[in-house]
């Protein structure tokens, strides 16, 4: 039996219309932002998880940029070391060819020293010169996360790379270059042996730079993989399915129109009942 004082049909139609309107707002927001979670209000647990993942993703990107800078320094150091080897090899060939001409050998030695000195001054990258001083460089290559007292604690993982001092002065590996003598056959032989030792040391330095370049490249590749996985994880948690949202929007718009018509019909019901008494 219909009830004039409580238009139940109108109330139900109005409720459905409000619900459809709320769903429309949600769906339109998904389409406009491309996300199903835009803040803690939408889903606090998912939002908190994605914020943490975003922080980790940004951390790996920063580390890889730092690794890239060190890689550049190592690459320059390796290239210069190889050039120094070429200079020393040329000097060695000159000694073999003109072992009896002291004046030419001294001039060749001094020219080689000057060229190497220029090399060691030119190779500063990002304020770092890896072939003109001793010591170690600490490089952050990743993160380690542990649970301590029910709390996540993240610490940096580092490696240490030794610099190489290839200078021709002080404690440099080529400090004896300026002392090569060519006064007689014995001095020439001794100088050639010393030169061979220096060439081997510079080759070792070049190999050291190359090995650490490859080592850092592997860390960077792994970090990039982790970073990409984190980005995919974030997307899977908060990104909206735009095709599904678009279809849902069209369906909701049709439902809204039908609900408006239903509400209009329900609102006419009391008038129809009143007409029976006329």
């Amino acid at each position: 039996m219909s009830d004039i004082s409580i238009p139940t049909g109108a109330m139900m139609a109005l409720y459905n219309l409000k619900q459809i309107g709320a769903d429309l707002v949600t769906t339109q927001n998904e389409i406009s932002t491309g996300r199903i979670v835009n803040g803690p209000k939408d889903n606090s647990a998912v939002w908190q998880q994605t914020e943490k993942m975003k922080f980790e993703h940004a951390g790996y990107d920063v580390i890889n940029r730092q690794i890239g800078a060190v890689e550049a320094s190592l690459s320059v150091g390796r290239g210069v070391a190889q050039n120094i080897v070429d200079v020393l090899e040329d000097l060695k060939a000159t000694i073999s060819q003109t072992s009896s001409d002291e004046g030419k050998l001294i001039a060749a030695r001094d020219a080689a020293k000057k060229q190497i000195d220029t090399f060691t001054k030119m190779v500063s990258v990002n304020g770092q010169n890896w072939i003109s001083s001793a010591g170690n460089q600490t490089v952050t290559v990743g993160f380690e996360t542990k649970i301590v007292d029910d709390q996540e604690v993240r610490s940096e993982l580092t490696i240490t790379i030794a610099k190489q001092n290839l200078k021709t002065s002080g404690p440099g590996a080529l400090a004896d270059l300026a002392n090569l003598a060519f006064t007689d056959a014995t001095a020439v032989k001794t100088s050639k042996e010393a030169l061979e030792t220096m060439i081997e040391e510079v080759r070792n330095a070049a190999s050291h730079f190359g090995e650490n370049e490859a080592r850092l490249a592997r860390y960077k590749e792994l970090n990039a993989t982790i970073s990409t996985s984190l980005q995919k994880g974030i997307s899977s948690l908060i990104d909206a399915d735009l095709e599904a949202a678009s279809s849902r929007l069209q369906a909701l718009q049709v439902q809204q129109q039908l609900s408006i018509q239903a509400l209009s019909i329900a609102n006419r019901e009391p008038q129809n009942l009143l007409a029976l008494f006329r």
Side-chain angles (χ1 to χ4, degrees):
M1 178 178 178
S2 299
D3 192 336
I4 297 176
S5 62
I6 304 176
T8 306
M11 291 177 64
M12 290 298 298
L14 183 60
Y15 173 80
N16 288 335
L17 187 60
K18 288 182 177 179
Q19 187 62 47
I20 291 170
D23 290 343
L24 269 171
V25 170
T26 300
T27 303
Q28 288 170 337
N29 189 50
E30 287 181 15
I31 293 173
S32 63
T33 64
R35 295 179 176 180
I36 57 176
V37 177
N38 289 286
K41 179 181 177 182
D42 299 326
N43 188 318
S44 61
V46 170
W47 177 81
Q48 186 175 13
Q49 180 65 23
T50 54
E51 287 300 300
K52 176 184 172 183
M53 293 169 71
K54 287 177 183 178
F55 177 74
E56 292 177 352
H57 177 268
Y60 280 106
D61 282 350
V62 170
I63 285 178
N64 266 8
R65 285 195 292 270
Q66 293 173 346
I67 290 176
V70 177
E71 275 187 305
S73 297
L74 290 173
S75 178
V76 171
R78 174 177 52 80
V80 171
Q82 290 172 323
N83 283 332
I84 291 175
V85 168
D86 292 340
V87 172
L88 295 177
E89 289 281 9
D90 289 343
L91 177 58
K92 179 182 173 182
T94 300
I95 293 174
S96 298
Q97 295 167 4
T98 57
S99 57
S100 60
D101 192 330
E102 184 180 4
K104 286 185 178 180
L105 293 178
I106 290 175
R109 178 201 66 190
D110 293 345
K113 180 180 180 302
K114 184 176 181 181
Q115 191 170 18
I116 292 171
D117 288 342
T118 302
F119 286 163
T120 57
K121 293 175 183 177
M122 290 173 58
V123 295
S124 179
V125 178
N126 295 319
Q128 297 283 337
N129 189 324
W130 285 68
I131 67 169
S132 296
S133 62
N136 297 320
Q137 177 74 25
T138 300
V139 183
T140 300
V141 295
F143 294 116
E144 179 183 22
T145 302
K146 294 181 178 179
I147 304 298
V148 180
D149 297 330
D150 295 328
Q151 297 290 328
E152 285 191 359
V153 178
R154 190 169 74 160
S155 57
E156 293 182 347
L157 298 173
T158 62
I159 62 171
T160 301
I161 302 176
K163 295 181 178 181
Q164 305 293 305
N165 189 346
L166 303 182
K167 294 174 69 175
T168 62
S169 60
L174 306 181
D176 289 337
L177 182 60
N179 300 322
L180 296 182
F182 312 101
T183 53
D184 53 37
T186 300
V188 169
K189 180 181 177 183
T190 301
S191 293
K192 285 182 67 176
E193 292 172 351
L195 191 57
E196 288 171 355
T197 299
M198 285 184 264
I199 290 172
E200 188 62 26
E201 288 186 14
V202 179
R203 281 178 177 157
N204 289 338
S207 296
H208 169 77
F209 289 138
E211 289 169 2
N212 281 285
E213 266 190 276
R215 187 181 176 193
L216 288 179
R218 288 191 289 271
Y219 282 117
K220 192 164 71 170
E221 182 179 0
L222 176 59
N223 288 339
T225 300
I226 295 172
S227 181
T228 300
S229 298
L230 285 169
Q231 186 62 54
K232 288 180 179 178
I234 293 168
S235 296
S236 68
L237 288 172
I238 66 174
D239 285 356
D241 184 339
L242 295 180
E243 291 183 358
S246 179
S247 298
R248 187 163 62 251
L249 177 64
Q250 293 179 16
L252 287 169
Q253 288 171 338
V254 172
Q255 291 175 29
Q256 185 182 50
Q257 293 172 5
L258 293 175
S259 294
I260 291 172
Q261 293 178 10
L263 179 60
S264 178
I265 293 171
N267 284 334
R268 288 199 300 267
E269 183 179 344
Q271 295 296 327
N272 294 334
L273 290 173
L274 182 61
L276 296 175
F277 294 94
R278 291 175 182 172

